[in-house]
Amino acid sequence: MDIFEKCHNYTQAKEAMAGGFYPYFIPLDENEGTEVEFEGKKLIMCGSNNYLGLTTHPKVKQAALDAINRYGTSCTGSRFLNGTLAMHEQLEHELAEFVGKEEALIFSTGMQVNLGTISSLVTRDDVVILDKDDHASIVDGARLGYGKIERFRHNDAEHLERVLQSIPDNQGKLVVVDGVFSMGGDLADLKSITPMVKKYGARLMVDDAHGMGVTGRGRGTAHQMGLTDQVDLIMSTFSKSFASLGGFIAGDEEVVHYIKHTARSLIFSASIPAANAAAALASLDIMRTEPERVDRVNAIAERVREDMCAMGFNVADSVTPIIPVIIGDDPRTFAMWKALFANGVFVNPVISPAVPQGSQLLRTSYMATHTDAQVDQVMETFRAVGKEVGII
Ligand SMILES: Cc1ncc(COP(=O)(O)O)c(C=O)c1O
């Protein structure tokens, strides 16, 4: 049996390419933030996680350039050995303070935070309990650990309670949820989840990749709900509002110290370059000093949700700048994506297995730097294309 047989049999993506409906790996020539260019054609970007629009902010760019000039382009080693800079530790201190935890620890990506943190904590005889809509990196972190994996229905605290009840007292329990769910743009129901976690002696980790910079006036979902003390571990990434690359976990000193010495995705992978750390530090500074950016992106999102609903689109339970437009089947999802792209609007089509069959959607997301005129144009394009494809 040839191990490559599955590759020879994989035709789905090539069929989509041949049909002109392939929406992935689109090579952009320019990316100014809210506007991108593909083959000489400009599009308004409504598919990025650059929520605060900081990837092109002069202070963030300058900080990255200065860091390269001072430290070079790479740390060429793991945090554990030669790859820790004073700047990494400064960023960790500032992040811990920002999210209200004792310590923070930086990994090279958010994916690696979840892989390393969950697998180092959930060992044999432990159980990790996941929301069914949790991000793939959380699922993979759980799979890497040697413990058992349980799931509960999305945001269903009663179901979570039944799952927790079924686990023997002598087993360690870690509940992991997204703070802002990456496809639905809805929030974890931390008010209902935290009492359950406490009642059954479990611990709670919140992945706030999409919350940090956006919810809680930038300080995240636990902060917004006044529940920072009830959440044991807060995770986020630098690849969204922080306009960089990397990620972090924050929690009690002893727990972070343990993760620092046991998480294999931290120990056996190179640390983020100084330019990435400097960009994240500059972005953090802007989050603290310019909260009006956070207000702006949330105001745009509110307007978009209102307009979309008024036009007859279904935006599910979104309360953040991630606004899914539910289409419900593959052909119309791709037809709508293609027509939007042809008319200058970049969005992301999402189909099964990323979402269940029947919930296929266009994931749209917004930035503090989108102008009102750009949002007007996006809404008008959605109206025209939605009619053309028969969604509204
Ligand atoms: C909820 C969530 N967690 C973790 C990650 C991983 O972050 P990174 O892009 O830094 O690997 C993502 C990014 O897609 C995400 O959406």
Side-chain angles (χ1 to χ4, degrees):
M1 162 71 157
D2 180 2
I3 189 94
F4 288 169
E5 197 173 309
K6 56 179 86 60
C7 316
H8 303 317
N9 294 337
Y10 178 68
T11 54
Q12 214 182 347
K14 288 198 172 145
E15 281 161 20
M17 286 174 197
F21 283 95
Y22 183 73
Y24 307 117
F25 299 97
I26 296 171
L28 302 175
D29 301 312
E30 300 288 338
N31 186 353
E32 165 278 319
T34 61
E35 198 171 82
V36 297
E37 202 175 299
F38 172 67
E39 293 182 347
K41 184 177 145 58
K42 291 199 184 304
L43 295 112
I44 300 174
M45 173 51 83
C46 290
S48 164
N49 302 305
N50 182 14
Y51 301 117
L52 300 179
L54 297 181
T55 58
T56 52
H57 192 293
K59 280 190 197 160
V60 178
K61 290 204 294 189
Q62 193 58 51
L65 289 169
D66 292 347
I68 288 182
N69 285 332
R70 182 161 172 202
Y71 298 99
T73 53
S74 169
C75 291
T76 62
S78 156
R79 290 293 309 281
F80 201 63
L81 300 173
N82 61 304
T84 292
L85 297 171
M87 192 190 279
H88 290 130
E89 294 195 339
Q90 183 193 343
L91 179 55
E92 287 173 342
H93 293 317
E94 293 196 21
L95 287 166
E97 188 278 328
F98 188 66
V99 301
K101 291 291 172 197
E102 282 176 10
E103 291 282 346
L105 176 65
I106 300 170
F107 289 63
S108 304
T109 67
M111 173 94 176
Q112 286 179 237
V113 178
N114 286 338
L115 296 183
T117 300
I118 300 171
S119 64
S120 70
L121 288 172
V122 183
T123 53
R124 227 173 285 286
D125 296 332
D126 296 326
V127 185
V128 58
I129 304 115
L130 310 181
D131 183 294
K132 281 228 167 82
D133 284 5
D134 274 353
H135 189 259
S137 57
I138 298 174
V139 177
D140 287 3
R143 283 183 182 152
L144 260 188
Y146 289 109
K148 199 172 163 210
I149 304 173
E150 297 280 2
R151 302 265 194 146
F152 64 100
R153 276 194 297 274
H154 178 49
N155 252 343
D156 186 337
E158 280 177 24
H159 191 210
L160 170 62
E161 174 157 36
R162 287 203 296 283
V163 171
L164 287 168
Q165 260 168 356
S166 70
I167 302 170
D169 280 349
N170 62 354
Q171 295 195 293
K173 297 174 270 297
L174 179 69
V175 177
V176 191
V177 296
D178 286 19
V180 173
F181 286 89
S182 55
M183 292 299 147
D186 53 329
L187 302 183
D189 182 4
L190 296 181
K191 281 208 164 70
S192 308
I193 290 170
T194 46
M196 296 300 159
V197 168
K198 200 161 199 165
K199 186 170 168 191
Y200 294 94
R203 296 289 184 173
L204 178 62
M205 171 171 162
V206 173
D207 173 337
D208 224 7
H210 298 273
M212 212 55 69
V214 173
T215 51
R217 281 214 105 193
R219 286 172 195 260
T221 308
H223 180 84
Q224 174 163 309
M225 297 180 182
L227 291 169
T228 300
D229 291 346
Q230 306 297 311
V231 174
D232 299 286
L233 289 166
I234 296 177
M235 172 274 174
S236 192
T237 171
F238 301 148
S239 66
K240 307 189 193 303
S241 292
F242 284 90
S244 183
L245 187 70
F248 72 92
I249 189 81
D252 287 350
E253 187 275 330
E254 280 185 359
V255 179
V256 174
H257 177 79
Y258 170 84
I259 295 167
K260 192 171 183 174
H261 293 89
T262 53
R264 293 165 66 87
S265 65
L266 176 88
I267 295 169
F268 297 102
S269 189
S271 58
I272 56 169
N276 294 78
L281 263 170
S283 296
L284 180 58
D285 189 48
I286 294 168
M287 283 180 208
R288 282 186 298 235
T289 54
E290 298 178 25
E292 59 276 12
R293 282 181 175 267
V294 183
D295 297 341
R296 167 78 184 156
V297 72
N298 283 303
I300 291 175
E302 205 169 313
R303 178 219 154 157
V304 169
R305 274 191 299 274
E306 272 172 21
D307 286 4
M308 290 278 197
C309 289
M311 285 187 264
F313 288 108
N314 173 3
V315 299
D317 298 322
S318 163
V319 288
T320 64
I322 299 171
I323 305 184
V325 178
I326 311 293
I327 309 293
D329 58 63
D330 287 2
R332 288 188 308 161
T333 302
F334 288 120
M336 183 99 182
W337 162 78
K338 195 174 178 185
L340 285 166
F341 197 88
N343 286 285
V345 178
F346 189 117
V347 301
N348 293 305
V350 184
I351 59 169
S352 167
V355 292
Q357 284 290 353
S359 300
Q360 289 93 329
L361 57 88
L362 296 172
R363 182 186 185 277
T364 75
S365 49
Y366 300 86
M367 304 177 208
T369 41
H370 274 126
T371 63
D372 289 340
Q374 285 176 322
V375 179
D376 291 344
Q377 195 179 327
V378 170
M379 292 300 97
E380 276 321 304
T381 311
F382 258 93
R383 185 192 302 281
V385 169
K387 281 187 181 155
E388 190 185 308
V389 180
I391 309 294
I392 52 170

